[in-house]
Amino acid sequence: MTATPSHAQNSPAGNAATASANSNPLLASWAGPYGGVPPFDKVQVNQFKPALEAAMAENLREIDAIANNKEAATFENTIVALERAGQRLDETRTVYGIWSGTLSSPEVQAIEREMSPRMAAFSDKINQNEALFKRVEAVYNSPEKQKLTPEQQRLSWLYYNNLVRAGAKLDAKAKTRLSEINQQLAGLFTKFSQNVLADETDSVLVLKTTADLAGLPASLQADAAAAVASRKLTGAGAITNTRSSIEPFLTYSDQRKLREKAWRMYYNRGDNGGAHDNNAIITDILQLRAERAKLLGYKTHAHWRLDNTMAKTPEAAMKLMEQVWTPAVARVKEEVADMQALARKEGAGADFKIEPWDYRYYAEKVRKARYDLDQNEVKQYLQLDKMREGMFWVAGELFNFNFSPITSVPVYHPDVKVWEVKDKTTGQHVGLWYFDPYARPGKRSGAWMNAYRNQERMDGKPVTTIVSNNSNFVKGKEGEPTLISWTDATTLFHEFGHALHGLSSNVTYPSLSGTSVVRDYVEFPSQVLENWLPTPQVLQKFAVHYQTGKPIPQALVDRIEKASTFNEGFATTEFLASALIDMKLHLAGDQKIDADKFERETLAQLGMPREIVMRHRTPQFSHVFSSDGYSAGYYSYLWSVVLAADAYSAFTEAGGPYDKAVGQRLTRNIFSIGNTVDPAQAYRNFRGRDPKIDALMKERGFPMTAKKASAAPAKPVKKATGKKS
């Protein structure tokens, strides 16, 4: 649901924008096969601004028609009408978002800086439309609502609560200030993102001589050589400023000084002073969020954000994090002691101390010494293309999907490939899956899933979904396989879980479709899918050596399993540090915060081990500061992994990971229902009870506390709340 300034439809600018629709391919309905596909082959950057303006103007006219309807408000003429409104804008913003996230250029960034505040104001125009809210409220409170289907009642609730949480009940003065805040935040989010991208794109560690490659396995040396060549630099190799390039270098490089340089380059993104420093932006974002929360009647931004989640309150989220923090930190101390002992054995001086840029390097050495497990040895069996085929096979076993490559649809970059998804039994078309696997300048780092179009059948005929997965693997030489780490393979399955959540959707209304669920539930389907990577069926079929084609030896698989809880102290602590800082920043209310100082002092109070840094330091914490997305919500990954570990136990307690009956329950109660059912109830429908934390603690090798831990969601509050994140 979106909005635009009301004068746009009659103003010269509005008329000009509307006229431009006649020649702008972004404003044409998606054409072609599979119910229409994005017109990636026709896009020009200079079309984005007029397309967005025209689509917003059209959307406003649709909204005004709904709000000013003289007939009494009904589900059909109000809620369903809102579901139909804004399709042209949704499609335009989808393509615009792809360029912003994967093909960013100075021209795209200039449009972002101009349009982000305007689009925020546009959304507020709808959220603050009094006539529209009265109609939605009338449907929500009508006795006739009881005659609606459960899904229709859920959709009515969603629209009502979205509007309330966005300020629909505020007075005129408060609404004006709220819109000002949202516009300022939109501009700051854009600036934050562009600063991080600039540091990622512009910074590179050049390995000048072959000596600088010491310790790097052949595959990483090849990646570094490819990176230096693609950037037309002089040297033996280059390490780009992305996680998929930095972490392997920190794991294997024998050059400690270069490890430190790489570490500082990566972990100081957004924190280097100058034009791309994000610290002042963070201060402003936090102040504005605190003011907005008070306007909306909440104690803090954290209380506002969690009001419509499974956790319900920041206190519940904090309780879960604190339960896991103590054993995680204790494990880190053990890990560091092991690394220090090994370093001394190898000849390090008595005063040698493990630093953050040493952790992965010495952890890998300890892993090899204790478990005879070399991650680089494992990597020889993890070819990106084969792992992708493994994911397809799992999707076939669990969800009855079949993936077939197609070349009949346009893509936005030569690296992007597309697959049609069908039901294996009926051959019925399910959707399309786009895959954009490689890093490149102008593409934001990390891995993520997008839904280009949501599944729905609102008008009686099915509209199938289009989803994508995006990664940042280092592209090797032409004709050679891309080898990925075990961690990267896990992330690949994780993001594919999001895609399967979208592809499995079987609902009526698009706003309730696929991954349109609360923030601390959306990561559950993706987290649970990670469990199928280490299954023997996947490893024996798809983890094959890139040279010999032989499957991964069982002895190596056994060592992987034996070492499965190794380094969990590090992994859990670096994540939880970010989640705790995120929550505490947003529980601080309207305090004026110096981000660097707050991070430093809060971590000290928490007892953060000096050898570890947060997974996402505040100046580059895009989850939290490039949008409201995961703000006061990074804990969601832990909340969801509790659900995932507990859910996977349902398989192990039954016939194993491919148990058909449990798989069908998972599809029916979790993956297919979108947001049509309250998530806590949906989980109970699948598992027969609330989730327990036990499986997570066992999975990570942490002891249970004396008092039985629980991760059951808080009981739903009577006050109606809820908004898609």
Side-chain angles (χ1 to χ4, degrees):
M1 190 168 63
T2 46
T4 193
S6 58
H7 63 269
Q9 59 179 324
N10 297 316
S11 69
N15 292 334
T18 304
S20 71
N22 298 325
S23 59
N24 193 324
L26 287 169
L27 293 167
S29 296
W30 289 359
Y34 311 110
V37 293
F40 293 135
D41 55 336
K42 299 177 181 178
V43 175
Q44 297 178 29
V45 171
N46 63 6
Q47 297 166 341
F48 282 127
K49 180 182 172 183
L52 289 167
E53 291 173 334
M56 287 191 291
E58 177 184 276
N59 192 194
L60 180 65
R61 290 192 293 274
E62 295 169 330
I63 294 300
D64 284 347
I66 298 168
N68 300 323
N69 190 338
K70 300 302 181 185
E71 298 178 3
T74 66
F75 179 78
E76 285 294 325
N77 70 20
T78 302
I79 305 300
V80 174
L82 284 168
E83 282 292 270
R84 291 196 179 101
Q87 181 175 342
R88 197 181 307 274
L89 180 59
D90 287 344
E91 292 178 348
T92 301
R93 291 179 73 167
T94 292
V95 179
Y96 171 63
I98 292 167
W99 257 251
S100 297
T102 71
L103 295 168
S104 187
S105 64
E107 294 77 17
V108 172
Q109 292 180 13
I111 296 169
E112 285 183 300
R113 289 192 292 271
E114 179 181 355
M115 294 305 295
S116 292
R118 290 177 61 183
M119 292 165 76
F122 170 78
S123 295
D124 284 330
K125 271 292 181 181
I126 285 183
N127 293 333
Q128 298 180 7
N129 186 316
E130 192 168 343
L132 179 68
F133 177 66
K134 285 182 178 179
R135 291 185 68 82
V136 171
E137 186 177 39
V139 175
Y140 178 72
N141 290 327
S142 171
E144 295 296 307
K145 188 177 70 172
Q146 300 307 315
K147 298 179 182 179
L148 300 175
T149 67
E151 184 175 345
Q152 290 170 337
Q153 291 186 45
R154 179 81 174 172
L155 186 64
S156 302
W157 166 86
L158 184 69
Y159 269 102
Y160 174 75
N161 284 281
N162 283 352
L163 290 170
V164 171
R165 285 174 53 78
K169 288 189 171 183
L170 298 180
D171 61 32
K173 182 179 179 182
K175 284 180 177 177
T176 298
R177 178 56 188 152
L178 181 64
S179 187
E180 291 171 353
I181 291 172
N182 287 335
Q183 291 174 63
Q184 291 176 56
L185 282 170
L188 291 169
F189 295 156
T190 297
K191 183 64 175 172
F192 183 96
S193 298
Q194 292 184 359
N195 284 346
V196 174
L197 182 61
D199 278 355
E200 290 174 347
T201 301
D202 298 344
S203 301
V204 61
L205 176 64
V206 176
L207 307 177
K208 297 178 181 178
T209 67
T210 54
D212 292 344
L213 301 172
L216 301 184
S219 61
L220 290 182
Q221 291 190 30
D223 290 345
V228 81
S230 68
R231 289 180 175 249
K232 297 180 173 57
L233 299 170
T234 301
I239 303 301
T240 56
N241 205 12
T242 63
R243 185 176 296 278
S244 58
S245 185
I246 291 291
E247 288 190 356
F249 184 76
L250 293 176
T251 302
Y252 294 108
S253 174
D254 290 335
Q255 300 288 355
R256 193 181 191 213
K257 289 183 178 179
L258 290 178
R259 290 203 308 269
E260 181 179 357
K261 283 186 177 181
W263 183 90
R264 293 191 183 281
M265 177 177 74
Y266 185 70
Y267 285 100
N268 285 334
R269 290 167 297 147
D271 196 23
N272 293 304
H276 298 145
D277 192 275
N278 274 331
N279 285 286
I281 291 174
I282 292 170
T283 301
D284 292 343
I285 288 174
L286 292 171
Q287 290 285 115
L288 289 166
R289 281 175 171 164
E291 183 184 353
R292 179 177 60 185
K294 286 191 174 181
L295 273 176
L296 292 169
Y298 291 87
K299 183 179 177 182
T300 69
H301 177 77
H303 288 85
W304 175 59
R305 288 293 292 167
L306 271 73
D307 188 38
N308 70 330
T309 63
M310 286 189 77
K312 301 296 183 189
T313 67
E315 292 75 19
M318 286 293 294
K319 181 179 178 182
L320 174 62
M321 289 191 282
E322 288 165 354
Q323 280 181 311
V324 182
W325 174 259
T326 300
V329 170
R331 178 62 57 80
V332 168
K333 292 178 181 177
E334 296 173 8
E335 292 171 1
V336 170
D338 290 341
M339 291 188 284
Q340 288 281 175
L342 186 144
R344 284 195 294 272
K345 187 177 178 181
E346 289 189 341
D351 59 344
F352 177 86
K353 289 184 178 180
I354 298 293
E355 298 291 348
W357 46 89
D358 298 319
Y359 208 109
R360 284 184 172 84
Y361 179 74
Y362 281 102
E364 184 62 17
K365 284 178 173 286
V366 172
R367 188 198 316 268
K368 288 164 71 173
R370 180 174 298 173
Y371 300 103
D372 189 24
L373 182 62
D374 182 347
Q375 289 287 53
N376 189 55
E377 181 185 1
V378 176
K379 192 174 182 179
Q380 313 306 305
Y381 295 91
L382 302 179
Q383 302 172 60
L384 175 59
D385 288 351
K386 293 290 186 182
M387 287 295 100
R388 186 196 65 225
E389 293 301 318
M391 298 191 312
F392 291 169
W393 183 83
V394 170
E397 294 297 302
L398 291 179
F399 301 96
N400 209 39
F401 290 157
N402 180 68
F403 287 72
S404 301
I406 59 173
T407 57
S408 57
V409 301
V411 294
Y412 55 86
H413 189 276
D415 286 343
V416 180
K417 307 300 179 188
V418 188
W419 282 258
E420 181 187 8
V421 187
K422 292 182 178 180
D423 183 278
K424 280 170 61 177
T425 304
T426 66
Q428 183 177 353
H429 175 76
V430 172
L432 296 179
W433 183 72
Y434 289 61
F435 189 36
D436 183 0
Y438 300 117
R440 59 177 171 268
K443 183 179 183 182
R444 67 182 176 94
S445 63
W448 65 95
M449 170 267 191
N450 280 340
Y452 297 167
R453 180 174 68 211
N454 282 336
Q455 173 273 330
E456 49 110 336
R457 52 173 179 273
M458 189 164 51
D459 293 318
K461 61 179 183 178
V463 174
T464 55
T465 190
I466 302 175
V467 299
S468 76
N469 280 148
N470 308 268
S471 305
N472 271 279
F473 299 114
V474 178
K475 192 175 184 179
K477 290 182 179 179
E478 189 68 30
E480 294 185 2
T482 298
L483 302 180
I484 64 177
S485 69
W486 184 263
T487 299
D488 284 337
T490 302
T491 300
L492 198 64
F493 270 69
H494 174 102
E495 296 303 332
F496 191 58
H498 285 306
L500 291 174
H501 195 183
L503 289 163
S504 301
S505 182
N506 184 21
V507 306
T508 302
Y509 300 101
S511 289
L512 299 173
S513 179
T515 59
S516 301
V517 297
V518 293
R519 183 63 68 189
D520 55 5
Y521 194 69
V522 74
E523 296 297 335
F524 163 38
S526 55
Q527 297 275 12
V528 78
L529 200 79
E530 295 177 16
N531 290 282
W532 275 266
L533 168 62
T535 60
Q537 294 89 333
V538 169
L539 295 181
Q540 289 302 308
K541 284 186 177 79
F542 304 101
V544 296
H545 196 278
Y546 79 104
Q547 290 176 324
T548 67
K550 292 182 179 180
I552 188 169
Q554 186 58 45
L556 181 54
V557 174
D558 291 342
R559 297 203 301 272
I560 293 172
E561 173 62 26
K562 191 176 179 182
S564 62
T565 61
F566 177 75
N567 217 33
E568 279 295 346
F570 170 83
T572 306
T573 301
E574 67 157 5
F575 159 77
L576 273 178
S578 293
L580 286 163
I581 289 290
D582 164 40
M583 189 64 76
K584 287 177 177 290
L585 279 168
H586 291 104
L587 285 172
D590 56 6
Q591 295 179 38
K592 191 165 186 178
I593 288 174
D594 176 324
D596 270 351
K597 182 181 179 185
F598 186 93
E599 177 186 306
R600 185 171 59 251
E601 293 180 351
T602 304
L603 289 176
Q605 292 165 7
L606 287 169
M608 178 73 165
R610 57 170 293 279
E611 299 86 0
I612 293 182
V613 71
M614 297 162 60
R615 182 170 179 81
H616 304 285
R617 291 196 54 240
T618 45
Q620 69 241 195
F621 206 167
S622 295
H623 285 77
V624 173
F625 295 113
S626 66
S627 70
D628 280 326
Y630 280 86
S631 61
Y634 195 62
Y635 79 92
S636 300
Y637 286 93
L638 180 64
W639 193 274
S640 294
V641 84
V642 169
L643 300 177
D646 189 64
Y648 189 65
S649 295
F651 285 89
T652 58
E653 291 164 8
Y658 298 96
D659 185 280
K660 294 295 184 184
V662 181
Q664 288 170 5
R665 287 210 319 270
L666 185 71
T667 301
R668 183 173 65 251
N669 294 301
I670 305 297
F671 276 79
S672 70
I673 62 171
N675 193 20
T676 60
V677 179
D678 177 85
Q681 186 57 50
Y683 190 84
R684 293 184 197 108
N685 293 344
F686 163 68
R687 197 68 169 97
R689 57 165 174 76
D690 285 331
K692 298 177 182 178
I693 198 175
D694 306 47
L696 170 70
M697 301 297 275
K698 181 180 178 181
E699 187 179 89
R700 301 201 172 188
F702 297 159
M704 292 294 295
T705 55
K707 185 178 179 181
K708 188 93 169 172
S710 173
K715 297 297 181 185
V717 293
K718 290 184 178 180
K719 178 184 174 185
T721 58
K723 185 181 180 184
K724 293 182 295 179
S725 299

